PDB file of all heavy atoms in Angstrom:
ATOM      1  N   ALA A  23       0.817  -1.215   0.000  1.00 94.00           N
ATOM      2  CA  ALA A  23       0.000   0.000   0.000  1.00 94.00           C
ATOM      3  C   ALA A  23       0.849   1.264   0.000  1.00 94.00           C
ATOM      4  O   ALA A  23       0.313   2.375   0.065  1.00 94.00           O
ATOM      5  CB  ALA A  23      -0.933  -0.003   1.210  1.00 94.00           C
ATOM      6  N   GLY A  24       2.179   1.120  -0.059  1.00 96.00           N
ATOM      7  CA  GLY A  24       3.062   2.270  -0.088  1.00 96.00           C
ATOM      8  C   GLY A  24       3.386   2.852   1.273  1.00 96.00           C
ATOM      9  O   GLY A  24       3.868   3.985   1.365  1.00 96.00           O
ATOM     10  N   VAL A  25       3.148   2.092   2.352  1.00 96.00           N
ATOM     11  CA  VAL A  25       3.444   2.559   3.704  1.00 96.00           C
ATOM     12  C   VAL A  25       4.870   2.148   4.076  1.00 96.00           C
ATOM     13  O   VAL A  25       5.256   0.980   3.922  1.00 96.00           O
ATOM     14  CB  VAL A  25       2.450   1.974   4.728  1.00 96.00           C
ATOM     15  CG1 VAL A  25       2.839   2.376   6.157  1.00 96.00           C
ATOM     16  CG2 VAL A  25       1.037   2.423   4.403  1.00 96.00           C
ATOM     17  N   LEU A  26       5.647   3.108   4.563  1.00 97.00           N
ATOM     18  CA  LEU A  26       7.022   2.843   4.964  1.00 97.00           C
ATOM     19  C   LEU A  26       7.052   2.095   6.289  1.00 97.00           C
ATOM     20  O   LEU A  26       6.363   2.454   7.243  1.00 97.00           O
ATOM     21  CB  LEU A  26       7.790   4.154   5.107  1.00 97.00           C
ATOM     22  CG  LEU A  26       9.237   4.048   5.632  1.00 97.00           C
ATOM     23  CD1 LEU A  26      10.116   3.288   4.647  1.00 97.00           C
ATOM     24  CD2 LEU A  26       9.794   5.444   5.899  1.00 97.00           C
ATOM     25  N   HIS A  27       7.880   1.036   6.359  1.00 98.00           N
ATOM     26  CA  HIS A  27       8.101   0.292   7.587  1.00 98.00           C
ATOM     27  C   HIS A  27       9.579   0.368   7.951  1.00 98.00           C
ATOM     28  O   HIS A  27      10.449   0.241   7.081  1.00 98.00           O
ATOM     29  CB  HIS A  27       7.676  -1.164   7.431  1.00 98.00           C
ATOM     30  CG  HIS A  27       6.187  -1.349   7.361  1.00 98.00           C
ATOM     31  ND1 HIS A  27       5.426  -0.900   6.301  1.00 98.00           N
ATOM     32  CD2 HIS A  27       5.308  -1.916   8.245  1.00 98.00           C
ATOM     33  CE1 HIS A  27       4.145  -1.203   6.524  1.00 98.00           C
ATOM     34  NE2 HIS A  27       4.058  -1.799   7.685  1.00 98.00           N
ATOM     35  N   VAL A  28       9.837   0.585   9.225  1.00 98.00           N
ATOM     36  CA  VAL A  28      11.199   0.758   9.733  1.00 98.00           C
ATOM     37  C   VAL A  28      11.447  -0.260  10.825  1.00 98.00           C
ATOM     38  O   VAL A  28      10.619  -0.431  11.726  1.00 98.00           O
ATOM     39  CB  VAL A  28      11.407   2.183  10.296  1.00 98.00           C
ATOM     40  CG1 VAL A  28      12.827   2.352  10.826  1.00 98.00           C
ATOM     41  CG2 VAL A  28      11.096   3.231   9.235  1.00 98.00           C
ATOM     42  N   VAL A  29      12.593  -0.916  10.768  1.00 97.00           N
ATOM     43  CA  VAL A  29      12.997  -1.826  11.834  1.00 97.00           C
ATOM     44  C   VAL A  29      13.782  -1.019  12.869  1.00 97.00           C
ATOM     45  O   VAL A  29      14.773  -0.369  12.538  1.00 97.00           O
ATOM     46  CB  VAL A  29      13.862  -2.977  11.298  1.00 97.00           C
ATOM     47  CG1 VAL A  29      14.378  -3.839  12.453  1.00 97.00           C
ATOM     48  CG2 VAL A  29      13.069  -3.827  10.322  1.00 97.00           C
ATOM     49  N   GLU A  30      13.324  -1.064  14.111  1.00 96.00           N
ATOM     50  CA  GLU A  30      13.998  -0.412  15.233  1.00 96.00           C
ATOM     51  C   GLU A  30      14.703  -1.498  16.044  1.00 96.00           C
ATOM     52  O   GLU A  30      14.070  -2.467  16.471  1.00 96.00           O
ATOM     53  CB  GLU A  30      12.967   0.321  16.095  1.00 96.00           C
ATOM     54  CG  GLU A  30      13.468   0.788  17.452  1.00 96.00           C
ATOM     55  CD  GLU A  30      14.538   1.856  17.366  1.00 96.00           C
ATOM     56  OE1 GLU A  30      15.694   1.470  17.096  1.00 96.00           O
ATOM     57  OE2 GLU A  30      14.219   3.039  17.584  1.00 96.00           O
ATOM     58  N   ALA A  31      16.017  -1.347  16.238  1.00 94.00           N
ATOM     59  CA  ALA A  31      16.792  -2.374  16.933  1.00 94.00           C
ATOM     60  C   ALA A  31      17.153  -1.997  18.355  1.00 94.00           C
ATOM     61  O   ALA A  31      17.830  -2.760  19.043  1.00 94.00           O
ATOM     62  CB  ALA A  31      18.071  -2.674  16.151  1.00 94.00           C
ATOM     63  N   LEU A  32      16.719  -0.838  18.830  1.00 92.00           N
ATOM     64  CA  LEU A  32      17.072  -0.404  20.171  1.00 92.00           C
ATOM     65  C   LEU A  32      16.418  -1.308  21.210  1.00 92.00           C
ATOM     66  O   LEU A  32      15.215  -1.553  21.159  1.00 92.00           O
ATOM     67  CB  LEU A  32      16.629   1.041  20.394  1.00 92.00           C
ATOM     68  CG  LEU A  32      16.998   1.663  21.749  1.00 92.00           C
ATOM     69  CD1 LEU A  32      18.509   1.815  21.869  1.00 92.00           C
ATOM     70  CD2 LEU A  32      16.311   3.013  21.921  1.00 92.00           C
ATOM     71  N   ALA A  33      17.216  -1.810  22.151  1.00 81.00           N
ATOM     72  CA  ALA A  33      16.695  -2.694  23.191  1.00 81.00           C
ATOM     73  C   ALA A  33      15.561  -2.004  23.955  1.00 81.00           C
ATOM     74  O   ALA A  33      15.663  -0.837  24.324  1.00 81.00           O
ATOM     75  CB  ALA A  33      17.813  -3.077  24.162  1.00 81.00           C
ATOM     76  N   GLY A  34      14.473  -2.732  24.133  1.00 80.00           N
ATOM     77  CA  GLY A  34      13.307  -2.181  24.804  1.00 80.00           C
ATOM     78  C   GLY A  34      12.278  -1.619  23.855  1.00 80.00           C
ATOM     79  O   GLY A  34      11.113  -1.458  24.231  1.00 80.00           O
ATOM     80  N   SER A  35      12.703  -1.299  22.640  1.00 85.00           N
ATOM     81  CA  SER A  35      11.769  -0.767  21.639  1.00 85.00           C
ATOM     82  C   SER A  35      11.830  -1.551  20.337  1.00 85.00           C
ATOM     83  O   SER A  35      11.214  -1.158  19.352  1.00 85.00           O
ATOM     84  CB  SER A  35      12.095   0.703  21.341  1.00 85.00           C
ATOM     85  OG  SER A  35      12.052   1.483  22.504  1.00 85.00           O
ATOM     86  N   SER A  36      12.590  -2.637  20.336  1.00 91.00           N
ATOM     87  CA  SER A  36      12.852  -3.368  19.104  1.00 91.00           C
ATOM     88  C   SER A  36      11.565  -3.866  18.453  1.00 91.00           C
ATOM     89  O   SER A  36      10.690  -4.422  19.112  1.00 91.00           O
ATOM     90  CB  SER A  36      13.776  -4.553  19.389  1.00 91.00           C
ATOM     91  OG  SER A  36      14.028  -5.302  18.220  1.00 91.00           O
ATOM     92  N   GLY A  37      11.456  -3.624  17.155  1.00 95.00           N
ATOM     93  CA  GLY A  37      10.281  -4.073  16.427  1.00 95.00           C
ATOM     94  C   GLY A  37      10.217  -3.427  15.061  1.00 95.00           C
ATOM     95  O   GLY A  37      11.142  -2.745  14.627  1.00 95.00           O
ATOM     96  N   VAL A  38       9.124  -3.679  14.362  1.00 96.00           N
ATOM     97  CA  VAL A  38       8.866  -3.081  13.057  1.00 96.00           C
ATOM     98  C   VAL A  38       7.756  -2.057  13.226  1.00 96.00           C
ATOM     99  O   VAL A  38       6.687  -2.368  13.771  1.00 96.00           O
ATOM    100  CB  VAL A  38       8.448  -4.148  12.021  1.00 96.00           C
ATOM    101  CG1 VAL A  38       8.171  -3.496  10.670  1.00 96.00           C
ATOM    102  CG2 VAL A  38       9.529  -5.220  11.888  1.00 96.00           C
ATOM    103  N   TYR A  39       8.008  -0.836  12.754  1.00 97.00           N
ATOM    104  CA  TYR A  39       7.065   0.264  12.907  1.00 97.00           C
ATOM    105  C   TYR A  39       6.585   0.743  11.545  1.00 97.00           C
ATOM    106  O   TYR A  39       7.383   0.887  10.618  1.00 97.00           O
ATOM    107  CB  TYR A  39       7.716   1.440  13.641  1.00 97.00           C
ATOM    108  CG  TYR A  39       8.003   1.173  15.102  1.00 97.00           C
ATOM    109  CD1 TYR A  39       9.124   0.445  15.480  1.00 97.00           C
ATOM    110  CD2 TYR A  39       7.146   1.646  16.086  1.00 97.00           C
ATOM    111  CE1 TYR A  39       9.392   0.195  16.827  1.00 97.00           C
ATOM    112  CE2 TYR A  39       7.403   1.406  17.431  1.00 97.00           C
ATOM    113  CZ  TYR A  39       8.529   0.680  17.793  1.00 97.00           C
ATOM    114  OH  TYR A  39       8.785   0.430  19.119  1.00 97.00           O
ATOM    115  N   ALA A  40       5.280   1.003  11.443  1.00 97.00           N
ATOM    116  CA  ALA A  40       4.703   1.607  10.244  1.00 97.00           C
ATOM    117  C   ALA A  40       4.703   3.123  10.417  1.00 97.00           C
ATOM    118  O   ALA A  40       4.289   3.636  11.459  1.00 97.00           O
ATOM    119  CB  ALA A  40       3.280   1.101  10.018  1.00 97.00           C
ATOM    120  N   ILE A  41       5.187   3.847   9.384  1.00 96.00           N
ATOM    121  CA  ILE A  41       5.285   5.297   9.436  1.00 96.00           C
ATOM    122  C   ILE A  41       4.285   5.876   8.439  1.00 96.00           C
ATOM    123  O   ILE A  41       4.429   5.719   7.224  1.00 96.00           O
ATOM    124  CB  ILE A  41       6.706   5.783   9.080  1.00 96.00           C
ATOM    125  CG1 ILE A  41       7.753   5.051   9.934  1.00 96.00           C
ATOM    126  CG2 ILE A  41       6.812   7.285   9.266  1.00 96.00           C
ATOM    127  CD1 ILE A  41       7.601   5.269  11.416  1.00 96.00           C
ATOM    128  N   ARG A  42       3.277   6.547   8.975  1.00 94.00           N
ATOM    129  CA  ARG A  42       2.257   7.182   8.135  1.00 94.00           C
ATOM    130  C   ARG A  42       2.249   8.681   8.402  1.00 94.00           C
ATOM    131  O   ARG A  42       2.527   9.116   9.524  1.00 94.00           O
ATOM    132  CB  ARG A  42       0.871   6.587   8.418  1.00 94.00           C
ATOM    133  CG  ARG A  42       0.761   5.092   8.094  1.00 94.00           C
ATOM    134  CD  ARG A  42      -0.635   4.578   8.419  1.00 94.00           C
ATOM    135  NE  ARG A  42      -0.818   3.190   8.039  1.00 94.00           N
ATOM    136  CZ  ARG A  42      -0.543   2.167   8.850  1.00 94.00           C
ATOM    137  NH1 ARG A  42      -0.071   2.385  10.069  1.00 94.00           N
ATOM    138  NH2 ARG A  42      -0.741   0.923   8.449  1.00 94.00           N
ATOM    139  N   PRO A  43       1.932   9.480   7.396  1.00 88.00           N
ATOM    140  CA  PRO A  43       1.920  10.937   7.586  1.00 88.00           C
ATOM    141  C   PRO A  43       0.966  11.359   8.697  1.00 88.00           C
ATOM    142  O   PRO A  43      -0.152  10.844   8.821  1.00 88.00           O
ATOM    143  CB  PRO A  43       1.444  11.465   6.223  1.00 88.00           C
ATOM    144  CG  PRO A  43       1.777  10.372   5.256  1.00 88.00           C
ATOM    145  CD  PRO A  43       1.608   9.089   6.008  1.00 88.00           C
ATOM    146  N   ASP A  44       1.447  12.298   9.530  1.00 84.00           N
ATOM    147  CA  ASP A  44       0.620  12.918  10.562  1.00 84.00           C
ATOM    148  C   ASP A  44       0.091  11.931  11.599  1.00 84.00           C
ATOM    149  O   ASP A  44      -0.954  12.155  12.230  1.00 84.00           O
ATOM    150  CB  ASP A  44      -0.573  13.663   9.932  1.00 84.00           C
ATOM    151  CG  ASP A  44      -0.138  14.694   8.912  1.00 84.00           C
ATOM    152  OD1 ASP A  44       0.865  15.399   9.186  1.00 84.00           O
ATOM    153  OD2 ASP A  44      -0.780  14.792   7.860  1.00 84.00           O
ATOM    154  N   ARG A  45       0.818  10.823  11.782  1.00 89.00           N
ATOM    155  CA  ARG A  45       0.436   9.851  12.806  1.00 89.00           C
ATOM    156  C   ARG A  45       1.678   9.391  13.540  1.00 89.00           C
ATOM    157  O   ARG A  45       2.784   9.403  12.990  1.00 89.00           O
ATOM    158  CB  ARG A  45      -0.291   8.644  12.185  1.00 89.00           C
ATOM    159  CG  ARG A  45      -1.675   8.970  11.659  1.00 89.00           C
ATOM    160  CD  ARG A  45      -2.280   7.809  10.907  1.00 89.00           C
ATOM    161  NE  ARG A  45      -2.374   6.601  11.712  1.00 89.00           N
ATOM    162  CZ  ARG A  45      -2.927   5.466  11.266  1.00 89.00           C
ATOM    163  NH1 ARG A  45      -3.418   5.421  10.029  1.00 89.00           N
ATOM    164  NH2 ARG A  45      -2.985   4.413  12.034  1.00 89.00           N
ATOM    165  N   GLU A  46       1.494   8.962  14.783  1.00 91.00           N
ATOM    166  CA  GLU A  46       2.604   8.400  15.534  1.00 91.00           C
ATOM    167  C   GLU A  46       3.003   7.060  14.912  1.00 91.00           C
ATOM    168  O   GLU A  46       2.160   6.350  14.343  1.00 91.00           O
ATOM    169  CB  GLU A  46       2.197   8.181  16.996  1.00 91.00           C
ATOM    170  CG  GLU A  46       2.001   9.470  17.785  1.00 91.00           C
ATOM    171  CD  GLU A  46       3.297  10.234  17.956  1.00 91.00           C
ATOM    172  OE1 GLU A  46       4.330   9.607  18.247  1.00 91.00           O
ATOM    173  OE2 GLU A  46       3.272  11.467  17.775  1.00 91.00           O
TER     174      GLU A  46
END
């Protein structure tokens, strides 16, 4: 769908995050 996903490797927050405009 064209949504950017970012892998976060920081301990305690590690996971895959979806980044959408104007949203957390």
Side-chain angles (χ1 to χ4, degrees):
V25 175
L26 175 65
H27 288 68
V28 180
V29 175
E30 167 66 281
L32 183 67
S35 303
S36 179
V38 179
Y39 291 80
I41 308 299
R42 297 179 176 89
D44 304 319
R45 290 173 58 177
E46 290 294 317

